[in-house]
């Protein structure tokens, strides 16, 4: 087990991401159930509502209301929280930060106080062929916490978890090894998503979308270019994003 973890850590350091099996089917079912209750509180039969979200929410106004950052988060139970805070994160944070003092948070608009401990944000992206616009967040790095580009590279580590949609038609778009570059690029403000990089800058990098399995978690370096993950599947994609925040630097996020 220790050798397997070390191999994952080496891969993470070289590529800026790695994929770990941390959750089981009951964990995914718990998360899906709670997201469904939040998004469709009025529906009695909630079976398969999330994967067919695009059939029920087909206008951008309603979608944007449901995906508002002040609403799209749920609480992690103790079981899931414990699994996500496992050995890998403890070792990798110690390696990068010199300590392993972190907690898990949902980070939305920090200026509005959207920083919630032991919570996860979720995002639902409708199939591209069903909508005129694109539900996915544009390419960015996670040093853009709360809509501001932070100078520190040791504030957060991101976990991205697919709940619905596991093939490369659905998964997160990433640029391996791009975390090794100082991205001194101009960011443009977009009120709906994290500030995104320009397409011209994106085109300098090679992006991939790995196939994943239920219960797998993608752990991402905050300086890795990712996003712009258009849903190319036939069903709605549901994913989580969780931040492991450096508790010694958390004041730099809140203020």
């Amino acid at each position: 087990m220790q050798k397997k973890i070390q191999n994952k850590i080496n891969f993470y350091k070289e590529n800026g991401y790695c994929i770990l099996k941390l959750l089981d089917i009951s964990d995914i079912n718990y998360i899906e159930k709670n997201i469904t209750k939040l998004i469709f509180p009025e529906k009695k039969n909630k079976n398969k509502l999330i994967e067919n979200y695009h059939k029920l929410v087909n206008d951008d106004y309603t979608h944007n209301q449901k995906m508002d950052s002040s609403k799209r988060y749920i609480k992690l139970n103790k079981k899931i929280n414990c699994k996500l805070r496992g050995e890998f994160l403890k070792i990798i944070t110690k390696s990068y930060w010199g300590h392993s003092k972190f907690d898990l948070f949902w980070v939305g608009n920090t200026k509005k106080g959207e920083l919630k401990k032991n919570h996860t944000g979720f995002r639902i992206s409708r199939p591209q062929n069903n909508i005129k616009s694109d539900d996915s967040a544009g390419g960015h790095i996670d040093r853009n916490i709360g809509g501001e580009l932070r100078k520190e590279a040791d504030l957060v580590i991101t976990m991205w978890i697919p709940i619905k949609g596991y093939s490369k038609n659905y998964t997160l778009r990433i640029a391996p090894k791009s975390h090794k570059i100082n991205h001194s690029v101009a960011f443009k403000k977009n009120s709906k998503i994290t500030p995104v990089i320009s397409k011209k800058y994106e085109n300098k990098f090679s992006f991939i979308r790995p196939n994943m399995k239920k219960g797998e978690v993608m752990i991402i370096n905050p300086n890795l270019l990712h996003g712009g993950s258009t849903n190319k599947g036939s069903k709605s994609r549901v994913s989580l994003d969780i931040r492991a925040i450096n508790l010694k630097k958390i004041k730099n996020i809140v203020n």
Side-chain angles (χ1 to χ4, degrees):
M1 178 61 72
Q2 188 62 38
K3 184 177 180 181
K4 185 177 180 180
I5 290 290
Q6 189 57 54
N7 288 340
K8 290 289 186 180
I9 288 169
N10 293 340
F11 185 92
Y12 175 89
K13 289 181 176 180
E14 176 63 20
N15 295 279
Y17 80 99
C18 73
I19 296 172
L20 296 172
K21 178 74 164 63
L22 297 180
L23 303 179
D24 60 31
I25 293 176
S26 67
D27 300 323
I28 299 301
N29 290 343
Y30 167 86
I31 292 165
E32 181 183 346
K33 179 180 178 181
N34 280 274
I35 292 175
T36 305
K37 285 168 61 178
L38 189 64
I39 294 297
F40 297 114
E42 74 285 358
K43 301 287 186 182
K44 292 183 179 180
N45 182 8
K46 300 186 184 303
N47 186 37
K48 295 187 177 181
L49 282 182
I50 286 295
E51 62 190 56
N52 291 308
Y53 171 91
H54 56 286
K55 296 179 180 179
L56 301 166
V57 181
N58 51 25
D59 67 284
D60 286 347
Y61 177 81
T62 304
H63 173 71
N64 291 334
Q65 289 291 308
K66 290 183 178 292
M67 292 298 104
D68 186 276
S69 62
S70 65
K71 303 174 184 176
R72 57 179 178 89
Y73 61 86
I74 60 170
K75 189 171 183 178
L76 298 169
N77 63 27
K78 290 183 179 180
K79 178 187 169 191
I80 295 173
N81 195 302
C82 183
K83 289 180 177 180
L84 295 178
R85 296 172 60 93
E87 186 177 4
F88 180 90
L89 267 189
K90 291 175 182 176
I91 295 174
I92 207 69
T93 51
K94 179 75 172 179
S95 174
Y96 276 94
W97 304 347
H99 66 85
S100 293
K101 294 181 179 180
F102 67 87
D103 272 321
L104 303 181
F105 289 83
W106 155 236
V107 182
N109 187 330
T110 55
K111 292 180 180 179
K112 295 181 180 179
E114 295 171 7
L115 183 71
K116 297 188 179 295
K117 182 179 175 180
N118 297 331
H119 284 68
T120 176
F122 63 86
R123 187 181 294 275
I124 302 176
S125 178
R126 298 165 293 177
Q128 184 59 46
N129 60 5
N130 281 77
I131 55 176
K132 294 181 180 179
S133 56
D134 189 345
D135 290 342
S136 64
H140 60 280
I141 57 176
D142 283 341
R143 286 165 64 185
N144 305 338
I145 305 164
E148 294 183 17
L149 180 61
R150 315 287 174 156
K151 294 181 180 179
E152 305 94 328
D154 60 350
L155 285 177
V156 301
I157 290 176
T158 295
M159 287 178 278
W160 185 86
I161 308 172
I163 302 301
K164 288 291 183 181
Y166 300 97
S167 77
K168 61 185 179 181
N169 286 331
Y170 296 95
T171 58
L172 185 65
R173 179 173 168 263
I174 55 176
K177 303 185 179 183
S178 61
H179 66 302
K180 297 179 178 181
I181 296 171
N182 179 19
H183 301 293
S184 55
V185 297
F187 287 77
K188 58 184 180 180
K189 189 70 176 177
N190 184 315
S191 61
K192 295 181 181 178
I193 58 174
T194 318
V196 296
I197 63 173
S198 67
K199 288 292 183 182
K200 182 178 180 181
Y201 188 74
E202 262 194 40
N203 290 337
K204 296 180 180 181
F205 299 88
S206 295
F207 285 79
I208 65 169
R209 297 179 71 168
N211 290 314
M212 295 178 66
K213 298 177 182 178
K214 184 176 288 191
E216 287 187 332
V217 177
M218 187 186 298
I219 302 177
I220 307 166
N221 185 288
N223 203 48
L224 187 81
L225 289 171
H226 63 281
S229 312
T230 300
N231 182 352
K232 296 181 179 180
S234 60
K235 298 179 180 180
S236 287
R237 174 182 70 219
V238 185
S239 61
L240 307 183
D241 55 277
I242 306 170
R243 315 289 188 216
I245 296 183
N246 184 340
L247 293 180
K248 292 187 176 182
K249 298 287 184 73
I250 194 168
K251 290 183 178 179
N252 297 17
I253 296 175
V254 176
N255 297 328

